[in-house]
Amino acid sequence: MSIIDENRRLEDIDRKFIWHPFTQMKDWLEEKPIIISEGRDCFIKDIYGKWYLDGVSSLWVNIFGHRKKEIDDAIKEQLDKISHSTLLGLSNVPAIKLAEKIIQVVNSPITHHPSSLTKVFYSDNGSTSVEVALKMAFQYWKHKGINEKNVFVSLKNAYHGDTIGAVSVGGVDIFHEAFGPLLFKTFKAPSPYCYRCDLGKEHPDCKTACLDKLEELFREHSEEIAGFIIEPLIQAAGGMITSPPGYLAGAKELCSKYGILMIADEVATGFGRTGKMFACEHENVIPDIMCLSKGITGGYMPLALTLATEDIYNAFLGEFRDLKTFFHGHSYTGNPLACAAALACLEIFEKEKVLEGLKNKIEILEEWLNENLNLRNVGDVRNAGLMAGVELVRDKNTKEPYDWKEKMGWRVAYHARDNGVFIRPLGNVIVIMPPLNISEQNLRRLLTVIKDSIIEITGRL
Ligand code: PMP
């Protein structure tokens, strides 16, 4: 069979058997699928040999691009030992080493704080790390003898994953509304979305009034609130919505004041994305629970961690018959190959001084974002480190958005794709999330293609 025939066969089989996530399959069936066969550095190659710059790190996970030698080697080495054994009733070497390392890394900005995160609970994707966090927080209060704390507070525009618990604390209507009847009750606080403020105010004159709203909720309902979940610094899947400075620290203060556990969902922001190892560090916040996944294995293996404080962990200690056990655990929990990959990633951060190396690239990105604010149909630009969004609008003066059915973000993304750059938008927001180790030259190339695509597509209307 010729290569062309084999490629066509793959396309047909894909259409026949695969149901793609977050994808209208009717559209997919009408398009020619891009099928990736190889990756190298920050590029991915399709079966026809065309290379694309991976502008979103393969859905925000491949922080060191593809085929990073140290991670390849770590997995190969672990393969020669064991690929999987369970953490239910057993332990394994890479899971132990990773737990020690991550606790060291997470606490390195502020060591020996009385409320440091000290315990690691493993699972295997961002959504499950959130499920774990919610169940942990809920049960913590039960073990403390406080039975009324049964409700969570989350933010509008929040995204914490696709399992039912994670969707319950989500706030992106287009993804979450359909499941309304299945979801548990939550309180929703306004999104700290300055460009489209729910309260109709302007930052900084508003003095971060969204925090006052959060406090109102806490004040009225603290007796029933178990926890507050937040994506620190930037609501990612909700549209790369950056919160105003001080919001995160202010929210943490309110949690402490009203006796509410803070769950920081660092699934998207963790591992250097925002310019620091974890987004919470920007505002010196130590949450009670922290969720980690995505970049943790450099995009090699599914792995997630839910970190908790000593106080939370201790609440679960008791006699066997007390039934204080945390009844939760997945088949792939603490998978040794994934933990070996994660350990290799943490070593790369140290050896290659990754965080220091981000500064110039963040500057390049910020300069580009500011320039793009001048474009006719760019309403807002925002970023936290190397995590950025460009919000396209039909009318800049009125902030009138493009109708989502027009698929403006997608049209820009398709244009970029034709020009060798892979990006995936969020509605009208163009997302830029390249691997952290992208070269400055490739970053500039990525940004040039995106800018040209925005100009070309919005200019046609
Ligand atoms: N939390 C956040 C902040 C996320 O951005 C995501 C995924 N985009 C998740 C949780 C869910 O992670 P996963 O897709 O691995 O379940």
Side-chain angles (χ1 to χ4, degrees):
M1 198 187 284
S2 75
I3 288 183
I4 298 282
D5 286 344
E6 171 61 13
N7 288 351
R8 297 239 164 88
R9 204 178 72 85
L10 284 171
E11 289 162 4
D12 288 344
I13 297 174
D14 176 289
R15 291 191 188 99
K16 191 166 172 194
F17 291 112
I18 299 188
W19 188 345
H20 286 266
F22 275 103
T23 303
Q24 176 42 257
M25 291 308 293
K26 184 168 179 294
D27 290 348
W28 180 270
L29 296 177
E30 287 160 10
E31 290 163 12
K32 193 173 170 62
I34 294 180
I35 303 175
I36 298 301
S37 61
E38 208 181 310
R40 200 171 286 251
D41 186 32
C42 4
F43 292 89
I44 44 180
K45 187 176 94 173
D46 73 15
I47 49 175
Y48 291 95
K50 179 169 172 160
W51 288 92
Y52 303 83
L53 231 177
D54 186 356
V56 286
S57 309
S58 293
L59 245 289
W60 317 351
V61 296
N62 285 71
I63 52 174
F64 301 125
H66 303 273
R67 305 215 16 221
K68 181 80 178 158
K69 187 171 181 323
E70 292 80 353
I71 313 177
D72 288 359
D73 289 347
I75 292 178
K76 285 178 194 157
E77 204 181 302
Q78 184 57 40
L79 269 176
D80 284 336
K81 295 177 181 147
I82 187 166
S83 299
H84 186 62
S85 84
T86 180
L87 278 194
L88 280 75
L90 289 175
S91 199
N92 72 67
V93 177
I96 294 172
K97 289 187 176 167
L98 177 61
E100 180 188 34
K101 186 74 194 163
I102 200 80
I103 290 301
Q104 181 218 319
V105 170
V106 102
N107 289 310
S108 65
I110 315 168
T111 41
H112 308 303
H113 192 279
S115 55
S116 298
L117 295 160
T118 54
K119 299 290 174 191
V120 178
F121 192 94
Y122 281 106
S123 63
D124 45 27
N125 63 72
S127 307
T128 54
S129 73
V130 168
E131 296 293 330
V132 168
L134 297 172
K135 287 172 75 176
M136 223 178 231
F138 172 84
Q139 212 176 350
Y140 165 81
W141 292 112
K142 303 288 159 288
H143 293 335
K144 287 272 184 188
I146 301 173
N147 289 314
E148 300 74 30
K149 282 184 168 281
N150 292 328
V151 186
F152 288 91
V153 177
S154 62
L155 297 176
K156 293 203 177 121
N157 291 318
Y159 178 89
H160 298 288
D162 295 332
T163 48
I164 290 299
V167 171
S168 297
V169 290
V172 183
D173 290 346
I174 204 161
F175 302 154
H176 298 149
E177 218 164 40
F179 302 103
L182 292 181
L183 308 180
F184 56 69
K185 173 186 161 183
T186 55
F187 293 119
K188 300 279 184 238
S191 169
Y193 186 4
C194 296
Y195 181 63
R196 296 186 187 279
C197 178
D198 273 354
L199 310 173
K201 305 208 175 208
E202 291 271 341
H203 187 77
D205 295 346
C206 66
K207 301 201 174 65
T208 323
C210 44
L211 272 179
D212 301 337
K213 286 281 169 198
L214 186 66
E215 178 156 21
E216 260 173 47
L217 256 179
F218 283 6
R219 195 184 307 119
E220 273 173 42
H221 301 282
S222 64
E223 279 170 16
E224 39 174 332
I225 299 173
F228 168 62
I229 182 163
I230 180 170
E231 295 161 87
L233 242 53
I234 179 163
Q235 295 189 292
M240 295 291 150
I241 299 164
T242 46
S243 51
Y247 181 85
L248 178 65
K252 172 64 190 158
E253 250 176 59
L254 293 177
C255 286
S256 305
K257 179 170 169 190
Y258 290 94
I260 290 165
L261 296 176
M262 178 188 257
I263 303 170
D265 176 355
E266 292 247 16
V267 167
T269 50
F271 302 99
R273 222 0 115 186
T274 65
K276 291 191 186 275
M277 199 60 171
F278 301 107
C280 283
E281 291 171 30
H282 289 273
E283 301 200 358
N284 297 320
V285 163
I286 304 176
D288 301 288
I289 299 179
M290 186 187 270
C291 304
L292 301 173
S293 189
K294 287 200 187 278
I296 189 166
T297 64
Y300 273 64
M301 306 282 300
L303 180 71
L305 274 54
T306 305
L307 310 184
T309 59
E310 204 67 13
D311 176 45
I312 292 177
Y313 173 83
N314 284 340
F316 286 76
L317 295 181
E319 297 306 322
F320 186 70
R321 61 175 177 275
D322 295 343
L323 289 179
K324 286 191 162 182
T325 307
F326 186 45
F327 291 109
H328 192 109
H330 300 277
S331 311
Y332 282 95
T333 288
N335 173 263
L337 288 176
C339 292
L343 273 165
C345 282
L346 291 175
E347 265 172 38
I348 294 169
F349 270 101
E350 282 171 11
K351 264 199 206 139
E352 298 187 7
K353 299 199 181 339
V354 173
L355 298 178
E356 288 89 324
L358 291 178
K359 293 198 177 78
N360 274 352
K361 288 181 251 189
I362 295 171
E363 261 175 47
I364 293 170
L365 175 62
E366 287 179 346
E367 212 174 285
W368 180 89
L369 287 169
N370 286 333
E371 276 168 29
N372 276 269
L373 202 46
N374 299 324
L375 296 181
R376 192 189 63 185
N377 296 98
V378 170
D380 192 26
V381 293
R382 28 188 200 255
N383 78 300
L386 269 196
M387 246 177 128
V390 176
E391 182 166 340
L392 306 176
V393 287
R394 180 185 298 288
D395 186 326
K396 207 168 168 132
N397 296 323
T398 61
K399 301 187 182 176
E400 182 195 347
Y402 287 105
D403 187 330
W404 62 272
K405 293 185 215 84
E406 286 182 67
K407 293 172 112 180
M408 273 312 280
W410 275 112
R411 281 149 77 172
V412 171
Y414 286 139
H415 190 276
R417 210 176 271 192
D418 291 342
N419 289 284
V421 160
F422 176 75
I423 47 173
R424 191 180 158 86
L426 289 160
N428 289 326
V429 178
I430 305 301
V431 175
I432 304 165
M433 275 250 224
L436 304 180
N437 65 343
I438 190 171
S439 67
E440 290 182 15
Q441 191 189 6
N442 282 331
L443 177 61
R444 287 185 201 280
R445 179 171 157 199
L446 168 73
L447 298 176
T448 303
V449 171
I450 294 176
K451 180 172 184 175
D452 291 349
S453 303
I454 293 174
I455 293 172
E456 173 65 28
I457 297 298
T458 57
R460 279 184 199 163
L461 295 167

